[in-house]
Amino acid sequence: MNILVLNAGSSSVKAAVINPATGARGLEMSADRLLDAPRIEFSDGTVIEPESKGPERTIAVCLEALKDKLSGTDIDGVGHRVVHGGEDFDRATRIDEEVEARIESLSKLAPLHNPVNLRGIRAARALFPDVDHFAIFDTAFHQSLPRRAKTYALPKELMAEHGIRRYGFHGTSHQYVAAKAASFLGAEPRDLRIISCHLGNGCSVAAIEFGRSVETSMGMTPLEGLVMGTRSGDIDPGIIDYLHEQAGLSTSEIDELLNRKSGLAGLSGVGNDMRTILDKSMAGDADCQLAVQVFTHRLRKYIGGYAAIMGGVDAIVFTGGIGENSPVIRHRASQRLHYLGAVINEDKNSTAELSETVPVVDFSMQHSRVKLLAVRTDEQLAIARQCGKLIDKADAVNTMPSIPIAVSARHIHLRQETLDVLFGKGHELSVKKWLSQPGQFAAEETVTVVGPRNSIERVRVLGPVRSKDQLEISRTDEFFLGIDAPVRESGKVEDTPGCKLIGPAGEYDLEDGVICAWRHIHMTPEDAATFGVQDRDVVEVAVSNNERALTFGNVLIRVSPKYKLEMHIDTDEGNAAEIRRGDQGVLTMTGQEGTLRKRKVSLSS
Ligand code: AMP
């Protein structure tokens, strides 16, 4: 399979033909200075310098030249990088007229980017009409941001009316390097808490908790967060009015100032290239020294903040032109992170050389609990892979069984030791009702759960006893109790909050174990083979049995010969989808990154 990956910017177009399965690259094109003196370079050495005919026509001219070069090459799909997907797009999407219109309507959120991305899409669809085109959004990976992270403290009506919230960018890169880092560490992203630092001309950090982005430093626009090449990143919003009043700048001048004249360029006075700034700072240039200090200070602030948000971190990843190539910046960002468990190996850091064959370098000490990794990003390959997955999906057949859905009320699993304290030494749970999962039962016993704000009585104990205590509550319970419970899969209770439990024989202070259960599907290995999934894949399930049809994203697969096919959601989720007894869902997509396994897909029930 060959995917043509296109990135149409305001003054440049980049293109590459990539095989998503192997990563092999065919022809590449890079066209610059589209607005004044276009110059198109191909990887085979050809250079074309066409006349500039205005931005729209010039993009088409570049793509026509590309099409000529590609005659004789089979193209199976075209993947377009699109900067802003707004609320609408949480994944790569096949482009049709409606999708084009939605991208256009999002232009108000990204006036510098979406209109030019769309120009590329329209020109390419006209030139390559016989293949599917796909939009891959920079914002999509961050759609999983919890509300607390994506919400600004502004009047809520105003935010709702204008779509003001934190969206985050560089999602394709953050997702790609997190997957690379995980596979380097012999794990899956969903096993790790990763802080990913994309440091290029644009810079952002993402907190990726067990595979999902839960925080990121860019916000509604790519201006928020870290110090960047020419962008200021975070500033006191009061400065905007101050500049208007005191320096007489208009809003568009302030916008230009913050986006194009600030950041490293503004601080250093020598431009936005980190290499020059580092060279000059070594030679004693005080402005460049301060630029480097402000850049890394801000980055360290985010790293510490994101570790706090995730309750710890397993790997810190550096990528982008600066993150991949600058030992000095990695050193400044990673030193004195011992308190987090991250200890830099200075030798490995200074000799790290990333390349196609060495895409990941670990520059932490062997005893460092948190791994420090430099990872080569490849957004084009990530885009090609996402297109490949969608093409595979369209080829698939519709024969999958539907999945019964069960709503789990709040409940608790207890260890024998805890049971002893709460119900008396040697207490044995008595079965009230057998549950659908073989061997599992709701016990007669209940406990009172006491949180900082309130308590909930008669929380059902589920049997049999387990090796870890675990209280599973809904978001509504969480607020009521006053406990900030993370979404976790069953059994993963490290660094989770605790609470007090009261039973008839005594009280027990649970140190940790309070979670919001990650919605999941239990299935047997035979079911998994039928669905084309594996244990701990993350999938989507559509429930369309009533007018509140809903797709549940981020559903975890749990496979064991002991299980019976059933999806478990909590009461809040059940209420949102108006799930009734006997309702069923259908698996619509597997979210597995980087694989192109063929799978069967059912699009409706
Ligand atoms: P990107 O946007 O990912 O292409 O990254 C561009 C940035 O990476 C520019 O600021 C470059 O100066 C910076 N960069 C590339 N190579 C190095 C290097 N060896 N040391 C420091 N910065 C570098």
Side-chain angles (χ1 to χ4, degrees):
M1 187 187 287
N2 279 323
I3 304 293
L4 172 61
V5 178
L6 274 180
N7 183 359
S10 53
S11 63
S12 67
V13 184
K14 289 197 165 38
V17 177
I18 300 180
N19 177 326
T22 64
R25 276 162 202 263
L27 186 74
E28 294 184 54
M29 180 192 86
S30 169
D32 285 314
R33 302 193 58 178
L34 298 194
L35 302 180
D36 51 354
R39 181 182 159 86
I40 311 173
E41 284 183 31
F42 289 97
S43 51
D44 65 3
T46 321
V47 176
I48 305 175
E49 293 188 337
E51 233 179 277
S52 176
K53 293 184 175 158
E56 207 149 323
R57 184 68 201 118
T58 309
I59 285 188
V61 168
C62 296
L63 296 186
E64 280 159 16
L66 177 67
K67 189 178 177 185
D68 278 354
K69 281 268 170 202
L70 286 175
S71 67
T73 308
D74 281 337
I75 299 292
D76 300 279
V78 183
H80 298 265
R81 179 174 179 221
V82 179
V83 166
H84 217 306
E87 290 274 2
D88 299 8
F89 297 102
D90 64 356
R91 71 197 61 167
T93 305
R94 184 176 270 100
I95 299 174
D96 58 16
E97 305 309 312
E98 192 199 329
V99 170
E100 265 193 24
R102 279 158 77 191
I103 294 172
E104 186 158 35
S105 73
L106 291 167
S107 290
K108 64 175 187 300
L109 289 173
L112 298 178
H113 298 105
N114 275 32
V116 281
N117 297 155
L118 201 54
R119 222 174 263 156
I121 290 173
R122 290 190 167 137
R125 285 186 79 198
L127 279 168
F128 300 91
D130 301 328
V131 296
D132 280 337
H133 290 243
F134 304 92
I136 285 76
F137 300 92
D138 262 20
T139 47
F141 180 55
H142 301 301
Q143 284 283 36
S144 53
L145 250 52
R147 281 207 306 190
R148 68 193 73 174
K150 69 183 177 196
T151 307
Y152 290 110
L154 292 171
K156 59 182 194 298
E157 296 78 16
L158 191 75
M159 289 195 287
E161 188 183 340
H162 296 287
I164 297 173
R165 48 158 273 204
R166 307 188 63 249
Y167 292 97
F169 298 85
H170 289 148
T172 310
S173 174
H174 286 302
Q175 187 176 20
Y176 177 84
V177 295
K180 270 272 182 219
S183 93
F184 177 83
L185 296 173
E188 295 282 339
R190 68 186 74 112
D191 291 318
L192 300 172
R193 288 163 299 178
I194 294 175
I195 297 175
S196 154
C197 311
H198 179 108
L199 311 175
N201 201 22
C203 301
S204 70
V205 198
I208 304 169
E209 187 179 45
F210 305 126
R212 293 178 307 145
S213 171
V214 294
E215 246 299 2
T216 191
S217 58
M218 285 177 167
M220 170 158 155
T221 73
L223 186 53
E224 190 180 336
L226 296 179
V227 175
M228 306 178 220
T230 60
R231 284 174 243 162
S232 63
D234 297 333
I235 58 162
D236 176 351
I239 294 172
I240 294 173
D241 188 55
Y242 187 83
L243 278 173
H244 175 61
E245 292 295 329
Q246 301 298 320
L249 298 182
S250 67
T251 50
S252 56
E253 284 168 333
I254 295 171
D255 190 61
E256 169 84 3
L257 178 90
L258 297 178
N259 275 296
R260 299 200 190 279
K261 296 181 184 158
S262 300
L264 291 171
L267 283 170
S268 70
V270 300
N272 61 351
D273 194 314
M274 183 58 101
R275 282 165 292 203
T276 315
I277 294 167
L278 285 170
D279 288 348
K280 290 206 179 277
S281 68
M282 312 278 186
D285 183 312
D287 291 338
C288 289
Q289 286 171 350
L290 183 61
V292 171
Q293 285 170 333
V294 177
F295 183 90
T296 44
H297 173 83
R298 179 96 46 97
L299 177 57
R300 292 168 62 78
K301 200 162 86 168
Y302 270 95
I303 290 173
Y306 285 7
I309 276 170
M310 295 192 287
V313 55
D314 301 303
I316 305 174
V317 170
F318 292 83
T319 191
I322 299 172
E324 291 171 30
N325 299 307
S326 176
V328 177
I329 297 296
R330 288 196 303 256
H331 158 82
R332 282 177 166 271
S334 319
Q335 64 187 343
R336 294 190 298 113
L337 292 185
H338 299 219
Y339 73 97
L340 281 182
V343 189
I344 184 169
N345 181 325
E346 299 289 359
D347 286 343
K348 285 192 188 162
N349 179 44
S350 55
T351 54
E353 282 278 345
L354 294 178
S355 65
E356 210 166 306
T357 48
V358 185
V360 183
V361 170
D362 176 354
F363 63 97
S364 46
M365 298 297 268
Q366 205 163 12
H367 66 271
S368 180
R369 193 187 57 74
V370 176
K371 291 295 152 200
L372 296 165
L373 304 175
V375 179
R376 200 162 182 253
T377 194
D378 192 339
E379 287 168 279
Q380 287 182 320
L381 175 58
I383 288 174
R385 282 184 181 165
Q386 294 191 34
C387 296
K389 279 210 277 188
L390 289 174
I391 290 172
D392 261 11
K393 183 175 161 176
D395 289 347
V397 279
N398 178 2
T399 57
M400 285 214 296
S402 45
I403 302 165
I405 302 178
V407 179
S408 309
R410 67 180 77 96
H411 60 267
I412 188 161
H413 302 276
L414 294 173
R415 295 174 306 141
Q416 185 60 47
E417 293 81 347
T418 316
L419 204 60
D420 290 348
V421 177
L422 296 172
F423 293 91
K425 187 88 190 125
H427 185 86
E428 278 184 29
L429 291 172
S430 35
V431 178
K432 178 181 167 70
K433 187 176 152 222
W434 289 100
L435 301 175
S436 51
Q437 292 308 313
Q440 304 284 310
F441 60 91
E444 294 287 355
E445 288 78 357
T446 62
V447 295
T448 298
V449 171
V450 184
R453 290 189 54 192
N454 287 300
S455 44
I456 300 179
E457 292 180 357
R458 286 189 296 283
V459 174
R460 184 70 53 195
V461 179
L462 298 196
V465 287
R466 287 197 177 175
S467 58
K468 285 180 189 168
D469 297 319
Q470 179 173 301
L471 171 65
E472 298 180 31
I473 56 175
S474 68
R475 281 272 177 256
T476 308
D477 293 342
E478 181 194 308
F479 271 95
F480 184 72
L481 290 167
I483 300 176
D484 193 1
V487 175
R488 288 283 175 89
E489 79 180 84
S490 187
K492 282 230 156 121
V493 293
E494 307 79 42
D495 303 319
T496 55
C499 66
K500 182 193 284 260
L501 302 175
I502 305 176
E507 295 183 3
Y508 183 76
D509 279 319
L510 198 63
E511 258 179 45
D512 54 21
V514 184
I515 62 168
C516 269
W518 190 344
R519 58 185 88 104
H520 54 277
I521 303 173
H522 290 286
M523 60 173 72
T524 62
E526 294 74 40
D527 294 328
T530 308
F531 287 110
V533 295
Q534 293 173 355
D535 189 39
R536 313 194 63 230
D537 271 359
V538 176
V539 301
E540 279 186 4
V541 174
V543 185
S544 48
N545 46 356
N546 58 43
E547 63 221 47
R548 298 186 76 187
L550 199 66
T551 296
F552 288 105
N554 194 31
V555 184
L556 184 70
I557 298 284
R558 304 296 306 266
V559 181
S560 161
K562 292 185 294 193
Y563 290 153
K564 177 169 163 244
L565 183 64
E566 193 169 64
M567 169 158 151
H568 288 184
I569 57 178
D570 74 18
T571 39
D572 285 353
E573 297 170 327
N575 291 340
E578 290 182 359
I579 300 287
R580 289 170 303 241
R581 232 186 138 70
D583 279 348
Q584 306 211 319
V586 288
L587 201 125
T588 53
M589 197 176 105
T590 80
Q592 175 123 334
E593 249 310 289
T595 59
L596 290 169
R597 268 185 293 134
K598 281 258 189 216
R599 61 187 63 91
K600 298 170 189 154
V601 171
S602 167
L603 293 174
S604 65
S605 61

